[in-house]
Amino acid sequence: MTNEELTNKTEETQETQDIKTNENTESVEKKEENNVEMEEKKKEKKEVKPTWKYYTYDGSTKTKKLVIDKRGKKYLIAKENKEFGNDLGVANLTDVSEGNVLPTHKGDEFYLVEPTAFDIIKKMKRSVTTLLPKDIGLIIAYCGIENGETVIEAGTGSAGLTMYLSQAVGKEGKVVTYEKRPEFAKIARKNLEIMGSVKLNQPIIGVDEEPVETEPILNEVAESKKVYNVIQKIGDITEGIEEQDVDVIVLDMPDPWNVVPHAKQALNKAKGRIAVYVPYIEQSKKAVEALKENNFLDIITIECILREMDISEKGVRPSTRMIGHTGYLTFARVCPEKLPLNEE
């Protein structure tokens, strides 16, 4: 190949490389333009506005809110979230309170509501298996737990039962919950914060922690409705109960019979009641024996089996799935005592 031919070939190769470089540059620029357009379209879709007026609600006491889609799927999200999305689209949550229908950019709708204790328990973090609502309801009903009462609970676990007890006794009442394991108590505290049963980072008696600065109150109305009526303690309740004149004691622990003598001393003699939840009938038997030895009255042991109904156009029948045995519940009332005459 002559020098002239070599030079021409080199120039042709350079031109080809320049063309490819320009094509690549144009391709990158085009992709960037497309990405910008897609982001703009995405932003436009996210900013879809409803064709209806939003409902205003400022009384929520929870630190979470609940989103329900048209399929009935539920999502427990942080109060401060500005948007929420799934495969049905993205909805804007900015300045939108619970009690509203939210349009998505795909034309679907979400329902934004305030979660109940039932919703929170199903979605919350758990350290151990928690009592189910079917058993919790019986505890509150059979014990007749009222507004303003003092309730002792052991152990705390994930605080599922604690949440319901907190709601039952109200702002005038108090729930003191014992837990032996500090790591479980801290998880329970996070769950109780969602319900407004404890303050944010509220100290746990028996746990050494660095103090945390409290956050400013943003909603005075909601803050005034929070009960803040739960006291968490680290301790072994089988060694004794510090509180006196207690209205109700609820025991969800492996050896409740070891607490019965202490419960007898701590309960209000006029109306003190006790509830014991255990998974095995042998445990229940030992608990009943301890209650009888300590002269408790109205002792009763029950079990709750829950069966859901399938209702359709064809007819109604029991669901093939059901919640069978979870535990045995024993209830009793403390017996009044003869007080000694004062000797002069």
Side-chain angles (χ1 to χ4, degrees):
M1 183 179 291
T2 62
N3 289 337
E4 185 177 350
E5 288 176 337
L6 184 60
T7 301
N8 290 337
K9 188 166 185 65
T10 302
E11 289 176 354
E12 287 177 4
T13 303
Q14 185 63 43
E15 285 178 5
T16 302
Q17 288 177 348
D18 289 342
I19 291 171
K20 286 183 178 179
T21 301
N22 291 334
E23 286 177 351
N24 289 336
T25 303
E26 289 175 3
S27 177
V28 170
E29 289 176 352
K30 193 171 183 180
K31 282 183 181 178
E32 289 177 353
E33 288 175 5
N34 289 337
N35 288 337
V36 171
E37 287 178 8
M38 286 176 67
E39 286 298 321
E40 288 177 354
K41 286 180 180 179
K42 192 176 179 183
K43 189 176 179 182
E44 287 174 6
K45 286 179 180 179
K46 282 186 184 179
E47 293 174 354
V48 61
K49 301 213 178 201
T51 56
W52 54 87
K53 183 180 178 181
Y54 275 148
Y55 171 76
T56 302
Y57 176 66
D58 61 356
S60 176
T61 59
K62 317 296 191 304
T63 61
K64 303 272 189 181
K65 44 193 176 183
L66 188 70
V67 176
I68 306 175
D69 66 23
K70 66 181 183 182
R71 300 164 298 197
K73 287 188 176 181
K74 296 179 180 179
Y75 306 87
L76 194 64
I77 63 174
K79 198 91 168 179
E80 59 271 16
N81 280 20
K82 300 301 181 184
E83 65 177 27
F84 170 79
N86 62 12
D87 58 307
L88 299 179
V90 178
N92 184 12
L93 302 178
T94 306
D95 299 326
V96 182
S97 68
E98 293 87 337
N100 282 294
V101 180
L102 308 173
T104 77
H105 78 280
K106 288 186 175 181
D108 272 299
E109 295 175 351
F110 296 141
Y111 307 106
L112 183 64
V113 296
E114 182 177 4
T116 64
F118 180 76
D119 298 314
I120 292 169
I121 287 173
K122 289 185 77 172
K123 299 289 184 180
M124 73 183 186
K125 184 177 180 181
R126 300 182 186 184
S127 54
V128 292
T129 303
T130 187
L131 267 72
L132 296 183
K134 72 180 182 71
D135 297 315
I136 294 172
L138 287 175
I139 290 172
I140 293 172
Y142 272 71
C143 288
I145 298 174
E146 301 175 354
N147 179 57
E149 291 195 314
T150 298
V151 178
I152 302 294
E153 177 201 20
T156 311
S158 302
L161 173 59
T162 321
M163 290 181 188
Y164 280 100
L165 294 174
S166 170
Q167 288 189 316
V169 301
K171 233 176 173 183
E172 304 301 319
K174 179 173 64 175
V175 177
V176 181
T177 179
Y178 284 75
E179 175 57 58
K180 292 195 292 187
R181 295 152 293 193
E183 65 275 17
F184 284 10
K186 290 177 183 179
I187 292 173
R189 178 173 59 188
K190 289 296 181 186
N191 293 331
L192 290 167
E193 287 172 357
I194 299 173
M195 284 294 297
S197 297
V198 299
K199 293 183 179 180
L200 187 65
N201 295 310
Q202 178 176 300
I204 300 170
I205 298 173
V207 176
D208 292 328
E209 295 179 295
E210 292 292 328
V212 180
E213 290 185 12
T214 56
E215 296 182 358
I217 298 171
L218 302 177
N219 189 328
E220 294 286 351
V221 175
E223 185 68 19
S224 67
K225 292 183 178 181
K226 294 183 179 182
V227 291
Y228 293 145
N229 59 3
V230 174
I231 298 171
Q232 291 182 266
K233 298 177 73 171
I234 300 300
D236 186 354
I237 199 171
T238 63
E239 297 177 358
I241 299 173
E242 296 176 357
E243 294 73 24
Q244 293 296 308
D245 202 29
V246 175
D247 297 304
V248 180
I249 293 177
V250 183
L251 304 175
D252 173 17
M253 52 190 295
D255 55 343
W257 50 88
N258 290 325
V259 184
V260 172
H262 305 307
K264 180 181 178 179
Q265 298 301 319
L267 284 167
N268 180 322
K269 296 302 181 287
K271 60 187 237 181
R273 295 91 74 199
I274 187 170
V276 174
Y277 174 89
V278 287
Y280 299 108
I281 197 65
E282 292 84 1
Q283 293 171 297
S284 186
K285 184 174 182 291
K286 288 188 72 171
V288 169
E289 288 171 351
L291 290 167
K292 287 180 178 179
E293 288 172 6
N294 286 273
N295 300 320
F296 275 77
L297 306 173
D298 295 337
I299 302 172
I300 181 175
T301 298
I302 62 174
E303 179 189 18
C304 179
I305 305 294
L306 182 66
R307 188 168 67 173
E308 190 175 339
M309 297 293 117
D310 286 338
I311 301 175
S312 65
E313 293 181 0
K314 291 181 180 179
V316 179
R317 66 177 182 81
S319 174
T320 53
R321 303 174 107 185
M322 65 179 292
I323 300 174
H325 172 76
T326 50
Y328 298 102
L329 290 163
T330 297
F331 303 97
R333 183 193 303 269
V334 72
C335 183
E337 296 179 346
K338 297 175 183 178
L339 300 178
L341 292 172
N342 292 328
E343 295 182 5
E344 295 183 0

